[in-house]
Amino acid sequence: MLENAGLFLGGLLLLIFGADWLVRGASKLAFKLGISPLVVGLTVVAFGTSAPELAINIQSSLGGQPDLALGNVVGSNIFNVLFILGLSALITPLLVDKQLIRLDVPLMLAASLAVYLFALDGNLSTLEGGLLFGSMLFYLIFIIRQSRHENQVNDSQESSQPSPLSSKLDLLPFQLLLILVGLAALVLGSRWLVEGAVAFARHFGVSELIIGLTIVAAGTSMPEVATSIMAALKGERDIAVGNVVGSNIFNLLSVLGLTSLLVPGGIPISTAALGFDLPVMVVVAFATLPIFFTGQIIDRWEGGIFLFYYIAYTLYLIMDATSHDLVPLFGTTMLYFVTPLTLITLYLLFHREKRRSKGR
């Protein structure tokens, strides 16, 4: 047990530090290319912090733990929206950029629904993985070209003055080294984390799907937690929101897509994931709609709702895994009372904001 705990904690630390080094190095390069902070949050920061999910998925799928791979992505996406956005919004109300509303949030919803539809036959095939990964490449090319075009227009309106780039250029080898070391730490950390998590699951009789949905998902999302909270504290609210949305898009299109391409026969989908966890992921994605569209601000109380639902979701998973007597009552209460009440509240707020915007 001590050896397994050491493997798990060591892998988690390597993942966190590796993602941090990767983001630091890659962010410097991205800014030098003239990409906006929002796009940096949607791409470099989001993809860097989601690299642990990719490393763990490939490692666990090739090692014969497909439930751990699927649970990692599904759990991470639920964790990103409910926990990270919720906690960040409690720290400071988050501004939602218009580009997120026009493009990135709808893409996150479409990707969530597409993965669910692909999984209905019990398998995420190589062809479906190729479609997901191809969509990711198209999305990347589009937003980077759009951002560089907008920045070129802005730069042409400003007087050209010499900028102190020499110090950044001097640090270029160091930034490249950070990226390489970060990637190496992610690969090694993912191996240790998967080995420790699988050993824990077998020892306690807990399914690999539950471990992936909770411990591994939260562990691999720690870079997103640190990034979004730090961005919120520093007032970089575009990066805080963009990081979560971008990470979810990356998890669905790139992590699941690439894993399906690399694993022979694709990723098998368990009936438990298809019957509960994947629908929850889709519902959570669509639950962001009224919040993202009400005045383009995620208020503190809305962040509190997100956090409440993540705690309730985790409690349900734990009670269900331990066959607790209160599972039916808890599920019925959430399904027929708490969830409809929340949806009605958000619906009324959405229409109130809509009337306000018309009256302006």
Side-chain angles (χ1 to χ4, degrees), residues 4-16 52-53 55-57 59-60 65 68 72 185-201 211-212 214-222:
N4 293 332
L7 270 177
F8 186 87
L9 292 176
L12 182 58
L13 287 174
L14 277 177
L15 285 173
I16 293 172
E53 282 90 337
I56 280 183
N57 262 40
Q59 180 73 26
S60 57
Q65 292 99 27
L68 191 64
N72 178 34
L186 288 173
V187 172
L188 182 59
S190 68
R191 183 177 302 172
W192 288 358
L193 189 70
V194 169
E195 289 177 4
V198 172
F200 274 126
I211 294 292
T214 54
I215 299 174
V216 177
T220 55
S221 291
M222 285 300 113

Side-chain angles (χ1 to χ4, degrees), residues 31-360:
F31 279 118
K32 280 184 59 181
L33 294 175
I35 300 174
S36 70
L38 175 62
V39 174
V40 169
L42 285 165
T43 56
V44 178
V45 177
F47 300 168
T49 55
S50 289
E53 282 90 337
L54 178 59
I56 280 183
N57 262 40
I58 294 174
Q59 180 73 26
S60 57
S61 294
L62 293 176
Q65 292 99 27
D67 274 352
L68 191 64
L70 181 69
N72 178 34
V73 167
V74 174
S76 292
N77 276 25
I78 295 171
F79 184 87
N80 286 347
V81 172
L82 297 183
F83 185 86
I84 298 179
L85 270 187
L87 190 57
S88 300
L90 281 178
I91 294 171
T92 180
L94 300 175
L95 296 175
V96 182
D97 191 273
K98 288 183 179 179
Q99 177 185 324
L100 282 170
I101 295 174
R102 290 196 309 264
L103 173 66
D104 305 295
V105 172
L107 179 60
M108 180 183 72
L109 303 181
S112 301
L113 192 57
V115 167
Y116 177 70
L117 293 176
F118 286 160
L120 286 176
D121 62 354
N123 185 66
L124 198 60
S125 68
T126 302
L127 175 61
E128 292 163 343
L131 290 173
L132 293 174
F133 191 67
S135 302
M136 184 76 241
L137 295 178
F138 180 79
Y139 166 73
L140 275 179
I141 294 170
F142 177 79
I143 63 172
I144 290 175
R145 288 184 63 182
Q146 184 184 47
S147 175
R148 294 193 68 183
H149 174 71
E150 291 175 356
N151 282 344
Q152 286 173 0
V153 172
N154 293 335
D155 291 342
S156 65
Q157 297 172 354
E158 298 175 358
S159 58
S160 58
Q161 295 179 356
S163 56
L165 291 176
S166 57
S167 60
K168 291 183 180 180
L169 291 174
D170 292 339
L171 291 174
L172 184 59
F174 177 68
Q175 305 304 333
L176 292 174
L177 180 63
L178 273 181
I179 293 175
L180 292 175
V181 173
L183 286 171
L186 288 173
V187 172
L188 182 59
S190 68
R191 183 177 302 172
W192 288 358
L193 189 70
V194 169
E195 289 177 4
V198 172
F200 274 126
R202 289 172 179 167
H203 180 80
F204 290 107
V206 180
S207 71
E208 291 174 0
L209 178 62
I210 298 297
I211 294 292
L213 285 165
T214 54
I215 299 174
V216 177
T220 55
S221 291
M222 285 300 113
E224 283 96 330
V225 174
T227 302
S228 289
I229 290 177
M230 189 60 65
L233 289 171
K234 291 182 177 180
E236 297 286 348
R237 294 183 284 185
D238 277 352
I239 289 183
V241 181
N243 174 39
V244 168
V245 176
S247 292
N248 280 18
I249 293 172
F250 183 83
N251 285 342
L252 294 166
L253 298 183
S254 189
V255 175
L256 277 182
L258 195 57
T259 305
S260 301
L261 285 172
L262 294 177
V263 177
I267 303 175
I269 310 296
S270 67
T271 54
L274 191 59
F276 180 71
D277 304 294
L278 278 168
V280 168
M281 183 192 72
V282 174
V283 169
V284 166
F286 276 87
T288 62
L289 275 177
I291 291 181
F292 277 126
F293 283 85
T294 52
Q296 297 179 230
I297 292 177
I298 305 176
D299 285 319
R300 285 190 172 90
W301 71 268
E302 292 170 323
I305 288 178
F306 278 173
L307 272 178
F308 167 77
Y309 274 108
Y310 182 74
I311 294 170
Y313 169 73
T314 306
L315 283 175
Y316 180 82
L317 287 179
I318 294 172
M319 288 192 298
D320 186 57
T322 55
S323 300
H324 199 282
D325 294 337
L326 291 177
V327 169
L329 177 62
F330 185 85
T332 302
T333 303
M334 293 297 298
L335 182 63
Y336 295 107
F337 178 71
V338 178
T339 302
L341 184 62
T342 305
L343 292 176
I344 291 171
T345 303
L346 293 174
Y347 177 80
L348 293 174
L349 286 169
F350 175 71
H351 279 275
R352 188 183 70 179
E353 290 292 335
K354 201 173 181 181
R355 287 197 300 268
R356 282 182 181 178
S357 60
K358 285 182 179 179
R360 288 170 186 168

